[in-house]
Structures are given as structure tokens and as C-alpha cells.
Amino acid sequence: MEEKTNKGKVLIAFIGAGNARATQYAPFESQVNGEGYILKKKSSKEYILKQYNYPFLAKLTEEVFDQIVFIGTNGSRWGMLKENLRKILNSNQPELEIDEEKFFPEYLVEQKIDDFKKELSDYLSQYISSVKNITYDIKVEIILIKEGRTELENKENIKKIQDSLSRLDILEITLDVTNGLRSHPMYVLPIISNLAAIYNKNIPINIYYGMYDAKVKETDSDLGIYKPTLDQNGMVIAPMVDLKEIQIMDKWSEAIREFFSNGSVLHILELLEKGEHYFTKDVDNRTYNIWYIDALNTFSFAVNSNNLDMFQEAITKIHQLINQQNMLVGISKEMPIYMQNSLEQVIFYIKQQFDWKDGEESKKYSSYMFSLANWYLKQDRLGDSVRTFQEAVITYVMEAYPDKIFNLLESRVIKWKKEKDKTKEECVKDKLFDANIRKVIRKAIYEDETVINNKDKEWGKWKEWKKEYDYMRDYVHNPDALLYNGSLLKNEKMTDIKEAKDNIIKFSKKMEEERENKNFNGITKSMLECRIDYLNEIKYYDVFISYRRSYHNERLNDGVLLMTSISDYLKAKGLNVFSDKNEMAGKEGAFTQHLHNSLVNSKICLIILGKDAYKRDYSDKDEYYKEIITAVQKDIRTAIVCMKDFYSDDNLIAYGKGVEEQKELMTVINERQRIGSEFSDIWEYENILSLRECIYKEIDKMLNE
């Protein structure tokens, strides 16, 4: 005989207290005129004619299993099970008198239980080997549980079943739910699902039920009530029904839960592939399920890759699946109602979430992004929601206020200028997803802290408006925000995830109001538009000159003379230059803040390193040191002019106390390229004319790179 096994396939059968001898089961397929059942076809010409005292025997002869698990209580007829198997295997032997008590595994000591399991295994292996003509060795496991009359008994039963099944290598399960107490199969299904989740397995479950027993009497078939089939000996032949529809329905339920939990449509796509026969044909004689698969697959890829063009395409395809009567297209009458309802729920939910009613605004990328951000928010994917909201805001201002954004970029981006034959709007649109441009806009809108004189009220309103945005920005980079309740750790820095979600919802509402103001209210400016106007009033510079007022001779103020000469020359060349000598006039009391604002609002910081520039002891109140440190920390482009006598004769800098410990101060002399370094040996204070011409050429090159 051929030896054949199927590792990982497990058959689970419940054993009850009923008398299985009076009923035989067969795998029926359909009823004929309410009077009988056609037996399940084995091929196109022959039928399976065998009947079985237990439904699970039919499955053992149809398929190959590695193991069978019997589940029952202390009152189950274990002796009847053994006797029936013995009788089937040895039909010529007389029936034995059965003492049920001696077959209760709980009554026996442990080694006797093992003997009992081995007897069952031998009987089943011999029987199946003879029927299938193969060498067959099936393992038997017995799980003895309680009836489950109390909550405690139910908990004990669940634990016992879970412990026993977790020790098995399960790849597929066939479940016979015919016998046993009706509540017991309800344990097994969720336990299997739980084990599958724990071990990350997709465990197929096949469910069968033997519908009737010998107690069923013949009834009027005209009433649609079962009329039992009898064999030639008057034995009831009951149908063994495949409950696969329940399993399919459960899979649809899982797929829908997965969709609403994380937006995934992968399981829905798998089910649509298998349900091709439930769809009608389209004009090209294809089934409509291809349309649904294509639309949902496009949607899934677009959402997970942030591909906005594909996302727009996906939403269009979703809309095409709905006819004018607001119903799904291509659905046949044979489609089960649970499947149709599930599909409708997904399609109409997507349509509802991304169905814009604001005309041209719906065609803009920011509309897609705000819709996606809210989509993630409803799924509690807070990190995705925050990031998408942040990017949506930048996209929105570029689309809503292109001319004003152009002016903002013109003042803040070194090489930004209007392209020939293009409008400002077209120039901004071309750079809609340029990472560097978006970074500049984000930094300007949300990080520029420049305060314009006499506009304190506007600044105050903006700080209040962007409060949730600042919270969201910090939340994204805070791993503790993943805590459900940060206060449980009694740490003030911990973020409560419920509080985080509340802030995101508030920000979402603010953006809805913003867009309504922009689209429908031409009188009142939105807060973002006011903010951009405010930023465009801030004076920007091409060059900020950082210098010491005296390098060589305290009385001559040679640093001021050097700076003035360079500044005047650069201004004559058309550059907008900040020098404190001119720009700080009349600004007493605001010296530090104004210097800081002017520096961070400059494209290039020109740092002049003259004699003894670093000779002073370091102090965080020293404006010269502060300017250099700020330029490095804010990543402002720097142009370094190093005068000849900045270095001493031994080529070492004469540091002041504490200077060497300030890494930003050391960065500009150790890492940054110096202007005209090849000519530095002649760059003395008497060479101002040649020095400033070289400086202009280098800065002009930097501004146009």
C-alpha cells in the first residue's frame, strides 16, 4: 500500500451523549422535490453511496488528515464511539455489552487514557486504510471538557481547548459540529482565530454539520419541511451539510473590519477574486469583479504610497462603480446579501469620505490630502494623520495663494525667480512637490518668529491659531505619544494619546473653516492668508554682515570702516544688505531681537574674521559670537572673509577663553570655505577695493547657484 499523510491538517469532532447507531450520514449536495437528496458527486458519472454513523467518518474517507481531535464531556458516549468503530471495522463480530463508565477518560488514570487514544487511533487507521487502500496512521487527541454551566466552567473549557490546540501544528482545520453540546463549537471557532492571530497564520476552517438523526419523522414536503431519506433497511440517511457559506461570511466580516481599522482592502480583493461568479458581464464580456478589483487595488496603492495622481484616478473609478440610482453596478441576483452589503459599505464609505462638493477646489491636490488626513484620523492612525495634515497645509497655501507664495519665495529662496513666459501661479505650481521649496514655506509660515512693530495683535492671533499645529509637530516626533494614557507613568512629559487626538481634531476643524473662508467668503481673509501677508511685510536681505566694530585699532574703528566699504559696494551692485550701522538707527531697546530677525531673514551671512575677532573671552551676550552661532544653527549660508592677521605668526588662532568650546564658532574657520582664500595673504585692511570686488563676485555666484 502507498503511505500517505498530510501534515498540519486536523479534523475536530465533538462527541455527545446521543445514540449515533440509529442514524447514518452522507455528504448530500441538494434536495430534489423536497423528498430526498442527491449524494455528492465524486465525478460526472458516479456518486458516493457510502453512509457513515458519524459525519467525521465521511471526511476521513474523502480527505487525508494528520490528526483527529475528539472533544466531549464526562457524559459523552466514548464507549459508543469505540464500539461503533470496532463494529464498522469488524462487521462480522457480535455487538458487545458496553459499560460506558469504563470509557470515561477522566475516570481512568493517565496511562489508561493514552491506551484509549491508541485504540481509537488503531481502529480509525485500519478502517481508512481499507477504504482508501493506503497505509494510514492517524493520531488521536482527546480533550475532555465540562458542560459549561457556569462562567468558571466556560473559562476552564476555553483554557483547556486552547492549551491543547496550541500544542498542535495546525495548518488547516475541518470541524464536525454535529454532536456534543451546541455551545462547545462556539468555543472552538474563536479559539482557532485567536491561535491563528498569535502565531500569524491563516488557518482555513471547514465546517460540517449532520443535520438530523433517527428521531426525525416523515413530514409533509409541501410545507418545505425535511422528509427523511431511508435506505433499504429503513435506516435514516441524514444529510451532512457543508457550512462553507458561514466561513465565507466570516471572512467578509474580517475583511470589512480590517478595512475600517487600517484602510486595507487586501482581504476584500482576495474575496472578490474568488467571487467572480457573483458578477455579471461587462461590454467586453469580462466579469464586473475585475472593475471592483482594479478600483480598490488602485485606491489601496495610492493611499499607502501617497500617490495623489493615482488617488484621483482611484476615486474616479470608485464613482464609476455606482449607478444613477445610487446602487452598485454589475451585481448578479445570485450574490449573497451579506457579500453585497459588505461591498456596498466599502464602496459608499470611500465615496462619502472623498466626495467633494466644492467645484474646482475638489480638483486640487490639497483637497485629496485633507481628505486622506481625516481618513487616517478616523482609523486612529494618528501619526499618518498628522504628517498628512502638515503636508496638506503647505500644498493648500501654494494652491490657494500662488502669487503671494511666489513673493514669499522670492524674498527667501536664493535662486528663486520668475521664469520667462510663465505666470507666478505657474511657477509655484511647477514646484508644488519640490521638497526644498516646501521646506522653505513650512519654515516661513510656522517657524518665523519675526515680530513686526505695531502688529503685536496680529502676531498674538497667529500664535493662538497655530497652537494645535505646534502640538502636532511635537507629537509626531514624540514616541511617548503612542501611550494610551501617558499620565499613568506620572511623568509630565508623557503625552496622552487621547489628548493628542483631540488636538488633531481641533486642527482639522480649523482647516475646514480656513477652506470655507477661502472658497465662499471673499470679504474676510482666512488666518493663513493673513499670515502670508504678514510674512511678506517682513524685510528680507540678500546679505547680513557680521563683524567686530574694531579689529586693529580701537580708536580707528577699522571694523566699521571695513564693513561700511563692503556694504556700500554690495548695495551699489543692487544687493539688499543689512548692516547695523544703517539698519539699527532709531531702534533703541530692540537691538538684540532686531539683529536676530534680520539675520534669520537673510539669504547669506557674510562673516568677517579680522584681527583678534575671537580674542575676547566667550560670552553668550557677545552679539558677534551670537550672530555666528545663530547662522550655523539656523543653517544660513555663510560667506567667510578671513583677514591676513586673523592668524598669528605660528598659524594658530589666538582664542579668547571659552571660544574653542563653542563648536559653531570653530565650524566657520575649520569647515566653511573662505572667499578668495588663495589671495588671503594680501587681504589686509589697505586692500579693501580688491577685497570687496572678490566678495561681490562670490556672493553673486552663491545667489544664482
Side-chain angles (χ1 to χ4, degrees):
M1 291 186 181
E2 174 192 2
E3 183 174 359
K4 190 172 184 180
T5 59
N6 199 338
K7 298 294 183 183
K9 284 190 66 172
V10 177
L11 175 61
I12 299 177
F14 292 88
I15 303 301
N19 190 335
R21 288 180 293 183
T23 307
Q24 298 189 73
Y25 295 93
F28 285 84
E29 195 167 65
S30 61
Q31 190 172 8
V32 179
N33 299 325
E35 295 186 354
Y37 286 76
I38 298 176
L39 295 172
K40 189 173 182 181
K41 291 183 179 181
K42 185 176 182 182
S43 67
S44 59
K45 295 183 179 180
E46 56 181 312
Y47 298 88
I48 300 175
L49 299 177
K50 299 182 180 67
Q51 293 90 40
Y52 307 90
N53 296 81
Y54 292 95
F56 67 81
L57 289 175
K59 298 312 299 175
L60 284 173
T61 54
E62 283 185 348
E63 301 179 41
V64 179
F65 294 90
D66 178 48
Q67 187 150 5
I68 182 167
V69 177
F70 293 116
I71 301 178
T73 67
N74 210 34
S76 298
R77 295 211 170 182
W78 299 101
M80 185 70 69
L81 169 64
K82 178 182 174 182
E83 173 58 18
N84 280 339
L85 292 177
R86 184 196 66 80
K87 182 181 177 183
I88 292 172
L89 187 62
N90 305 290
S91 57
N92 296 328
Q93 294 184 12
E95 291 193 25
L96 298 176
E97 188 74 25
I98 299 174
D99 180 4
E100 286 290 338
E101 288 295 327
K102 78 173 189 177
F103 293 114
F104 290 161
E106 188 176 83
Y107 174 80
L108 303 176
V109 292
E110 186 174 348
Q111 60 267 29
K112 291 292 183 69
I113 296 176
D114 291 337
D115 292 341
F116 181 66
K117 290 192 292 186
K118 187 175 186 311
E119 286 182 276
L120 292 179
S121 177
D122 290 342
Y123 281 143
L124 290 170
S125 298
Q126 292 176 48
Y127 173 67
I128 298 167
S129 296
S130 64
V131 172
K132 300 176 72 71
N133 195 31
I134 60 175
T135 300
Y136 198 97
D137 182 18
I138 189 167
K139 302 172 187 174
V140 171
E141 179 64 44
I142 293 176
I143 304 176
L144 192 66
I145 60 176
K146 297 179 180 179
E147 291 183 355
R149 294 171 181 260
T150 65
E151 182 179 353
L152 179 60
E153 284 190 354
N154 283 323
K155 289 181 178 178
E156 290 176 353
N157 286 345
I158 291 173
K159 182 180 185 303
K160 195 161 190 178
I161 294 172
Q162 186 168 30
D163 288 345
S164 298
L165 294 183
S166 64
R167 291 194 292 267
L168 304 180
D169 183 17
I170 300 175
L171 298 179
E172 180 179 346
I173 285 179
T174 296
L175 193 61
D176 171 18
V177 298
T178 305
N179 298 304
L181 293 174
R182 297 299 179 259
S183 60
H184 292 166
M186 298 175 67
Y187 295 142
V188 176
L189 289 174
I191 287 173
I192 294 171
S193 297
N194 180 257
L195 291 174
I198 291 173
Y199 297 110
N200 195 24
K201 289 183 178 180
N202 180 19
I203 300 178
I205 306 174
N206 310 299
I207 308 173
Y208 293 89
Y209 177 60
M211 294 189 69
Y212 304 101
D213 60 28
K215 299 175 184 177
V216 176
K217 297 180 180 179
E218 183 174 331
T219 56
D220 191 345
S221 60
D222 292 337
L223 298 177
I225 302 174
Y226 171 70
K227 185 175 182 181
T229 301
L230 305 178
D231 67 4
Q232 57 186 358
N233 299 318
M235 180 71 74
V236 175
I237 305 176
M240 191 178 75
V241 182
D242 185 348
L243 299 180
K244 62 182 178 182
E245 205 66 31
I246 295 177
Q247 184 184 6
I248 297 173
M249 182 178 181
D250 187 57
K251 287 186 177 296
W252 270 98
S253 299
E254 290 179 3
I256 297 300
R257 281 193 291 268
E258 181 185 52
F259 170 75
F260 284 106
S261 296
N262 55 37
S264 173
V265 297
L266 294 181
H267 284 174
I268 296 176
L269 292 173
E270 291 176 3
L271 292 170
L272 287 175
E273 285 183 332
K274 296 176 182 177
E276 179 180 353
H277 53 288
Y278 289 129
F279 293 86
T280 58
K281 301 288 183 180
D282 64 13
V283 292
D284 297 322
N285 205 32
R286 299 175 305 171
T287 52
Y288 270 98
N289 80 313
I290 300 299
W291 289 33
Y292 288 87
I293 291 174
D294 180 45
L296 292 175
N297 195 48
T298 304
F299 173 81
S300 177
F301 183 85
V303 168
N304 289 293
S305 63
N306 290 320
N307 188 321
L308 296 180
D309 287 324
M310 184 172 285
F311 181 72
Q312 183 181 33
E313 177 187 348
I315 300 306
T316 301
K317 290 180 177 180
I318 294 292
H319 279 251
Q320 291 172 349
L321 299 177
I322 304 171
N323 62 25
Q324 294 181 348
Q325 287 74 38
N326 210 30
M327 298 175 64
L328 296 184
V329 301
I331 303 297
S332 72
K333 295 180 180 179
E334 288 73 28
M335 177 179 284
I337 189 64
Y338 67 82
M339 180 176 174
Q340 185 173 340
N341 288 343
S342 299
L343 197 57
E344 284 182 352
Q345 191 176 20
V346 172
I347 298 299
F348 283 112
Y349 185 80
I350 294 175
K351 178 180 181 295
Q352 180 186 33
Q353 297 302 307
F354 305 106
D355 190 10
W356 304 285
K357 301 176 182 178
D358 46 1
E360 289 299 313
E361 181 66 21
S362 67
K363 299 178 182 178
K364 294 183 176 180
Y365 287 115
S366 56
S367 291
Y368 302 152
M369 298 176 77
F370 282 121
S371 297
L372 276 173
N374 280 299
W375 164 271
Y376 295 138
L377 179 59
K378 290 178 180 178
Q379 295 170 355
D380 287 335
R381 295 166 60 179
L382 302 189
D384 290 333
S385 180
V386 166
R387 290 180 178 86
T388 307
F389 266 128
Q390 291 176 337
E391 293 305 316
V393 171
I394 306 307
T395 307
Y396 171 70
V397 296
M398 293 178 75
E399 290 180 327
Y401 314 109
D403 287 356
K404 294 179 179 183
I405 290 294
F406 181 94
N407 296 337
L408 185 72
L409 293 171
E410 194 172 31
S411 66
R412 301 187 181 224
V413 178
I414 289 178
K415 55 183 178 180
W416 182 266
K417 59 183 178 181
K418 186 173 176 296
E419 296 182 40
K420 188 178 180 181
D421 300 328
K422 283 189 177 181
T423 64
K424 291 182 178 180
E425 181 177 359
E426 289 171 337
C427 291
V428 172
K429 185 178 180 181
D430 288 345
K431 300 292 184 179
L432 193 60
F433 294 107
D434 185 303
N436 293 324
I437 296 300
R438 294 174 69 87
K439 180 179 178 182
V440 170
I441 297 173
R442 183 184 301 105
K443 184 176 180 181
I445 292 178
Y446 287 104
E447 297 179 24
D448 192 327
E449 298 182 356
T450 303
V451 180
I452 302 176
N453 290 341
N454 303 320
K455 291 209 170 186
D456 292 345
K457 287 184 179 180
E458 287 188 34
W459 173 248
K461 288 180 181 178
W462 169 249
K463 286 184 69 175
E464 182 64 26
W465 191 92
K466 80 182 187 89
K467 184 170 56 178
E468 285 85 11
Y469 185 94
D470 290 341
Y471 184 98
M472 288 165 54
R473 179 190 59 199
D474 296 336
Y475 163 81
V476 168
H477 303 290
N478 180 12
D480 296 326
L482 298 177
L483 294 173
Y484 180 71
N485 190 342
S487 62
L488 293 177
L489 298 182
K490 298 180 181 180
N491 186 332
E492 293 181 0
K493 295 183 179 179
M494 295 298 180
T495 303
D496 189 326
I497 200 168
K498 291 178 286 188
E499 181 185 355
K501 185 175 182 180
D502 183 58
N503 275 274
I504 301 171
I505 292 173
K506 288 180 181 178
F507 184 79
S508 173
K509 291 180 179 178
K510 281 186 176 181
M511 286 312 308
E512 288 178 9
E513 294 172 359
E514 278 286 308
R515 297 167 69 198
E516 287 176 2
N517 274 339
K518 172 64 177 65
N519 294 328
F520 304 116
N521 192 339
I523 300 175
T524 305
K525 284 185 179 181
S526 70
M527 183 58 72
L528 278 170
E529 185 177 9
C530 290
R531 173 61 174 168
I532 297 169
D533 287 342
Y534 184 95
L535 292 170
N536 278 326
E537 290 186 42
I538 297 173
K539 190 172 182 180
Y540 250 74
Y541 299 93
D542 293 311
V543 182
F544 178 101
I545 302 180
S546 180
Y547 69 104
R548 283 230 182 267
R549 302 188 71 80
S550 177
Y551 291 115
H552 185 65
N553 188 315
E554 293 283 348
R555 292 177 301 163
L556 293 177
N557 277 337
D558 54 351
V560 175
L561 294 175
L562 180 62
M563 177 276 298
T564 302
S565 177
I566 295 173
S567 175
D568 291 344
Y569 187 85
L570 296 180
K571 287 179 180 179
K573 292 291 187 177
L575 299 182
N576 189 9
V577 181
F578 176 89
S579 60
D580 59 357
K581 184 173 182 294
N582 296 322
E583 301 295 329
M584 294 298 293
K587 292 187 169 48
E588 293 94 352
F591 186 79
T592 299
Q593 184 61 45
H594 189 72
L595 271 179
H596 173 81
N597 290 345
S598 301
L599 173 58
V600 298
N601 294 334
S602 296
K603 298 176 183 177
I604 295 174
C605 178
L606 175 62
I607 300 174
I608 300 177
L609 298 173
K611 181 174 183 269
D612 297 337
Y614 279 6
K615 191 64 178 290
R616 293 185 185 179
D617 292 349
Y618 173 76
S619 167
D620 58 6
K621 299 186 184 319
D622 186 301
E623 291 296 340
Y624 180 65
Y625 287 151
K626 286 169 66 176
E627 290 166 5
I628 296 175
I629 291 172
T630 299
V632 174
Q633 290 179 342
K634 296 291 186 180
D635 199 26
I636 300 170
R637 296 192 72 179
T638 53
I640 314 297
V641 173
C642 191
M643 304 302 291
K644 180 179 180 181
D645 50 6
F646 177 71
Y647 293 97
S648 60
D649 293 338
D650 58 359
N651 209 31
L652 294 176
I653 296 176
Y655 298 121
K657 183 179 179 181
V659 171
E660 193 171 4
E661 284 72 36
Q662 305 305 310
K663 62 180 181 179
E664 293 89 355
L665 297 178
M666 306 311 298
T667 294
V668 300
I669 61 174
N670 294 330
E671 299 178 17
R672 303 294 171 90
Q673 179 66 40
R674 291 177 288 133
I675 293 178
S677 57
E678 63 272 26
F679 306 116
S680 61
D681 59 332
I682 63 170
W683 278 19
E684 299 179 357
Y685 297 100
E686 292 79 13
N687 305 115
I688 289 178
L689 292 179
S690 62
L691 169 64
R692 63 188 187 179
E693 182 179 353
C694 184
I695 291 173
Y696 168 71
K697 289 181 179 180
E698 189 66 26
I699 288 178
D700 184 62
K701 179 181 176 182
M702 293 171 67
L703 290 172
N704 289 281
E705 283 180 346

